[in-house]
């Protein structure tokens, strides 16, 4: 191949037919479109689907990813588009790397985000290594996020369609992984555009609903899963006001989350009360007025930094941060304590900041993502 060979659409100096791409296929419309698009462009596509759990009720459940029906759908797309497809049994890895930590974190009073750990520890680690073992030049996924070439290497940027942006769930993508990953849908203007492409390629999944829940909690009932994983976890205890008054009893700390107001079972009080803290050791749900939820300073650890300079090269970084996936980024000052720890000061206090959630860093202007870390204790 001559040195002046132009880059293909995946940014590699090869003809598409000589470029092998492993596509991580969940069985949904997004990853199916990626595989079909790359196959039509002439790439050497290999589809890989992960079996993450065998979950009885989840197998025919719409709205959960990586279940049995999804493996069938991914295989069907591969047959329609005529490229090889493999199913890898990652049940044990997923159980150890994601589900067990989810249970422990939840029992510790945190509000975990297992989808981030799955990307970090399973999809972008073990699956990415599998892609390299298959001699693939890169791995493509259906995530709504953008990888852009920068002066110092590839950069991570938010998706064009902010309503579909998945940057909050991908902040732990390392520079090395980013070098190998591709996200062909990140530039699309809307999900409708993806479905139009699915229809254009004649894919049977074109009208398939999006997954909504955590895949191993298909009905959204976290507490039921935790009780199954950790028998005895739903022990009763007291609901206590922040001023020390005992207001009632609860059926288990695992049924409550920080910021919760409804369903506390302590009516008849003049002021509306919210869950402000969960004390799992004392089996207490601590409640208080709304202003107690406001947090200005957040300790963050396990930081993955995606800036061009070292994280500790500055005493503070003026960035925007997102503390929940559903909230817009807010202005903040990030003060490094080490390469992987920082104190984040929110210029405007946020309510309901919870340990176990991610704190993701964004450029003050523009779409670039500078990484992020994990919120690790209450205020």
């Amino acid at each position: 191949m001559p040195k002046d060979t132009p880059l293909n659409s995946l940014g590699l100096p090869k003809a598409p037919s000589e470029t092998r791409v492993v596509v991580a296929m969940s069985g949904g419309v997004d990853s199916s479109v990626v595989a079909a698009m790359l196959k039509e462009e002439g790439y050497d596509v290999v589809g890989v689907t992960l079996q993450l759990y065998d979950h009885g009720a989840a197998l025919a459940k719409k709205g959960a990813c990586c279940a049995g029906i999804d493996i069938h759908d991914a295989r069907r797309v591969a047959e329609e588009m005529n490229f090889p497809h493999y199913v890898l049994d990652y049940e044990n890895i997923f159980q150890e790397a994601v589900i067990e930590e989810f249970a422990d974190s939840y029992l510790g009073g945190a509000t975990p985000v297992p989808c981030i750990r799955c990307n970090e520890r399973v999809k972008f680690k073990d699956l990415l290594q599998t892609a390299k073992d298959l001699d693939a030049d890169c791995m493509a996924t259906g995530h709504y996020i953008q990888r852009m070439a920068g002066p110092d290497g590839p950069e991570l940027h938010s998706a064009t369609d902010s309503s579909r942006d998945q940057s909050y769930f991908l902040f732990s993508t390392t520079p090395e992984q980013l070098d190998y990953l591709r996200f062909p849908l990140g530039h699309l203007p809307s999900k409708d555009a993806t479905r139009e492409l699915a229809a254009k390629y004649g894919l049977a999944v074109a009208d398939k609903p999006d997954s909504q829940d955590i895949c191993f909690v298909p009905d959204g009932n976290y507490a039921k899963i935790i009780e199954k994983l950790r028998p005895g976890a739903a022990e009763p205890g007291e609901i206590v006001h922040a001023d020390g008054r005992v207001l009632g009893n609860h059926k288990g700390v695992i049924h409550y989350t920080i910021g919760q107001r409804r369903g506390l079972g302590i009516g008849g009080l003049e002021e509306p009360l919210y869950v402000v803290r969960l004390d799992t050791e004392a089996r207490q749900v601590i409640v208080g007025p709304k202003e107690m939820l406001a947090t200005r300073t957040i300790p963050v650890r396990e930081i993955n930094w995606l800036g061009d300079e070292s994280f500790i090269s500055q005493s503070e970084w003026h960035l925007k941060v997102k503390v929940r996936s559903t909230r817009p980024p807010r202005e903040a000052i990030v003060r490094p304590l080490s390469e992987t720890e920082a104190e984040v000061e929110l210029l405007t206090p946020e309510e309901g900041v919870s340990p176990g959630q991610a704190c993701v860093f964004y450029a003050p202007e523009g779409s670039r993502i500078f990484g992020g870390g994990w919120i690790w204790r209450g205020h």
Side-chain angles (χ1 to χ4, degrees), residues 216-356:
F216 58 91
V217 194
D219 58 0
N221 190 339
Y222 294 8
K224 188 168 78 177
I225 293 292
I226 302 299
E227 285 186 68
K228 187 177 172 186
L229 292 166
R230 300 287 184 271
E235 294 180 14
E238 296 174 332
I239 299 176
V240 182
H241 194 286
D243 64 14
R245 286 178 290 152
V246 177
L247 302 178
N249 296 298
H250 63 77
K251 294 180 179 178
V253 171
I254 61 171
H255 296 287
Y256 299 84
T257 55
I258 303 290
Q260 180 178 334
R261 179 185 173 190
R262 298 182 185 279
L264 299 181
I266 49 171
L269 298 165
E270 291 182 11
E271 59 175 347
L273 295 175
Y274 299 78
V275 176
V276 296
R277 195 159 58 85
L278 299 171
D279 187 334
T280 50
E281 290 186 11
R283 299 208 303 274
Q284 289 184 335
V285 174
I286 295 94
V287 297
K290 191 174 185 182
E291 55 265 25
M292 288 192 69
L293 288 170
T295 301
R296 184 179 288 276
T297 305
I298 307 172
V300 179
R301 64 183 177 185
E302 288 185 66
I303 287 170
N304 176 56
W305 179 245
L306 293 173
D308 300 324
E309 305 167 54
S310 161
F311 183 52
I312 55 174
S313 66
Q314 296 190 27
S315 59
E316 55 182 47
W317 296 88
H318 290 254
L319 300 168
K320 286 187 174 180
V321 304
K322 190 186 272 202
V323 294
R324 277 189 187 267
S325 62
T326 52
R327 297 188 185 171
R330 303 281 173 81
E331 290 185 10
I333 300 170
V334 179
R335 297 186 176 93
L337 302 175
S338 71
E339 293 274 11
T340 58
E341 292 185 294
E343 184 178 86
V344 176
E345 180 187 347
L346 302 172
L347 300 194
T348 304
E350 285 253 20
E351 291 177 357
V353 175
S354 174

Side-chain angles (χ1 to χ4, degrees), residues 101-119:
E101 185 191 69
F102 172 82
D104 292 339
S105 180
Y106 205 88
L107 281 178
T111 309
V113 192
C115 303
I116 299 175
R117 288 301 197 197
C118 182
N119 288 326

